[in-house]
Amino acid sequence: MPPEILPPELAAAFPAAGRIVAAQPSGHGHINRTFVLTAEGGARFVLQQINGRVFRRIPELMENIRRVTTHLRAKSPRGLELVPARDGAVFVRDSAGEAWRLYRFIAGAHTVDQATDPAQARETARAFGAFQAQLADLPGGRLHETIPDFHHTRRRFDAFAAAVVADPCNRAAAVRAEIAFAAAREADADRLLGLLARGEIRERITHNDTKLNNVMLDDATGRGVAVVDLDTVMPGLSLYDFGDMVRTSVAAAAEDEPDPARVEVRLPFFRALVEGYLETAAGLLNATERAHLAFAGRLLAYEQGLRFLTDYLQGDTYYRIHRPAQNLDRTRAQFALVRGLQTQEVALDRIVSEIHGSP
Ligand code: GN1
Ligand code: MG
């Protein structure tokens, strides 16, 4: 099946959407496939195929999303809303066994892949902070872990080390410098896990994929209006969410920028993230969490670099690629960001204390 063609049976799988007259591929995700559907009468919807190789437990994942969207929509009405399939199911399987779900289209809002103005970073952080705060009282017990150990940096490091040893595509020899860079920072992998184990920070419901483009911004006001891409909403650390925002908002270059020299740390964007995040999430965070906001950015860039490098060594089986060495470019860009964040550590910590006062 060519990736951009919608299986015809899908158009009829969600009767509540009415008769579908158009389907357009959409989005830039590395994992799922997304289409915008238009029904007779003009109503629009977002149809997604959930990648079953990455997400092994789709019923549990969709139960999380049903609970989370129901809870959030009671607090902010522009959030994501699932459209039921036949018999009220939250997703359907096509004849090939692939899982699909449908959301109502959020009109009058857009996403940005790269921040061009600190206001975009501020709004994104405000929205993710509000998301965590609004989910703090989610009823019904602990959410399912849709991908176990998703941000467990120790396990991510171990998977990377195993890929170096196995080297199934004979790529390790050509990436010695990147392997050495990763190995030299191994100790960082245990830092937040240590704080968690000692009870100094705690688990919460987090988004776990807080890329800039996972917040929709209002077309007219630029305000963050909805958090999207809820597949990895599960128990996690606030610092993972904040760190992933730093990773995707602070660098002045694309995630797969081939020239690492262009990956520069933009302090005003970091400041905007801290301001936005503390505006909505300050009440959740303890002093240890506040003291690690800058470190979290470096850690998440490091973790993401490890994941890209692991995938490159394993032959590009996880992240969708559009050119041969894209996962290597992605690795190098992440590691350049790690280096930049490390160089700026004092300045970043100073920004946090200026905004919040010393922890
Ligand atoms: C994947 O599919 P997408 O682009 O939203 C990945 C994230 C990575 C991100 C890197 C389930 O997210 O963890 O940070 O790529 N999602 C999963 O761009 O692995
Ligand atoms: Mg995602």
Side-chain angles (χ1 to χ4, degrees):
M1 181 175 69
E4 50 296 316
I5 305 293
L6 181 69
E9 59 187 304
L10 261 305
F14 296 88
R19 202 171 80 80
I20 301 302
V21 294
Q24 272 297 318
S26 158
H28 311 274
H30 298 338
I31 310 283
N32 291 331
R33 290 168 59 205
T34 304
F35 295 85
V36 173
L37 306 186
T38 308
E40 210 166 40
R44 281 178 295 171
F45 301 88
V46 175
L47 178 73
Q48 281 187 313
Q49 181 193 337
I50 311 163
N51 184 326
R53 196 170 37 77
V54 168
F55 298 105
R56 313 299 300 193
R57 300 177 193 153
I58 290 174
E60 281 96 332
L61 180 154
M62 289 307 299
E63 188 186 310
N64 279 2
I65 293 186
R66 184 186 52 73
R67 288 175 57 195
V68 164
T69 52
T70 306
H71 190 72
L72 289 176
R73 278 178 49 76
K75 302 191 183 198
S76 48
R78 264 177 106 183
L80 280 175
E81 182 181 357
L82 283 168
V83 178
R86 260 181 236 301
D87 308 321
V90 281
F91 73 100
V92 290
R93 288 205 185 267
D94 65 19
S95 47
E98 299 292 346
W100 297 80
R101 66 170 166 234
L102 193 69
Y103 288 115
R104 285 189 194 285
F105 185 88
I106 297 175
H110 62 279
T111 59
V112 285
D113 290 330
Q114 249 181 282
T116 50
D117 180 335
Q120 295 161 329
R122 184 177 294 107
E123 283 305 310
T124 299
R126 244 177 30 86
F128 281 125
F131 180 86
Q132 284 179 4
Q134 290 174 349
L135 288 174
D137 63 348
L138 180 78
R142 196 171 185 264
L143 289 174
H144 301 286
E145 289 187 42
T146 59
I147 301 182
D149 299 324
F150 191 58
H151 284 301
H152 196 295
T153 22
R154 166 49 51 190
R155 302 236 161 90
R156 293 291 187 189
F157 185 89
D158 292 347
F160 151 73
V164 173
V165 172
D167 194 19
C169 304
N170 295 313
R171 289 178 170 181
V175 294
R176 287 277 163 244
E178 288 72 22
I179 292 172
F181 183 93
R185 284 157 181 80
E186 181 179 354
D188 279 351
D190 296 318
R191 214 158 129 187
L192 297 188
L193 292 165
L195 294 175
L196 179 65
R198 292 193 298 275
E200 294 176 46
I201 58 178
R202 48 162 290 203
E203 178 184 289
R204 304 176 203 286
I205 297 174
T206 49
H207 182 280
N208 297 302
D209 188 9
T210 54
K211 285 186 177 182
L212 185 71
N213 63 9
N214 278 337
V215 170
M216 301 202 62
L217 305 175
D218 185 89
D219 289 344
T221 64
R223 297 289 274 184
V225 291
V227 165
V228 300
D229 192 355
L230 306 179
D231 295 317
T232 51
V233 177
M234 59 180 149
L237 299 182
S238 290
L239 288 169
Y240 295 151
D241 276 4
F242 186 77
D244 219 18
M245 290 181 228
V246 173
R247 184 183 80 73
T248 57
S249 310
V250 166
E255 192 178 69
D256 62 348
E257 167 61 52
D259 178 5
R262 299 185 56 184
V263 182
E264 179 196 316
V265 171
R266 300 180 296 181
L267 294 177
F269 288 74
F270 180 79
R271 178 181 291 276
L273 282 180
V274 178
E275 285 169 354
Y277 190 57
L278 292 182
E279 196 182 307
T280 46
L284 296 174
L285 304 180
N286 69 19
T288 306
E289 288 169 311
R290 290 197 302 271
H292 285 81
L293 288 171
F295 171 74
R298 190 172 101 210
L299 180 71
L300 270 283
Y302 174 59
E303 178 196 302
Q304 191 65 59
L306 285 176
R307 293 177 64 194
F308 286 144
L309 184 52
T310 304
D311 197 33
Y312 182 70
L313 290 167
Q314 289 176 335
D316 309 308
T317 61
Y318 189 89
Y319 296 104
R320 188 176 298 137
I321 56 168
H322 308 280
R323 57 172 190 270
Q326 194 171 7
N327 273 319
L328 183 55
D329 287 343
R330 288 169 173 157
T331 304
R332 289 179 172 149
Q334 291 302 308
F335 286 172
L337 182 58
V338 171
R339 211 186 284 279
L341 291 168
Q342 208 164 1
T343 307
Q344 298 282 1
E345 196 166 18
V346 173
L348 297 167
D349 281 332
R350 189 179 313 125
I351 288 171
V352 176
S353 346
E354 276 167 16
I355 294 168
H356 201 274
S358 293

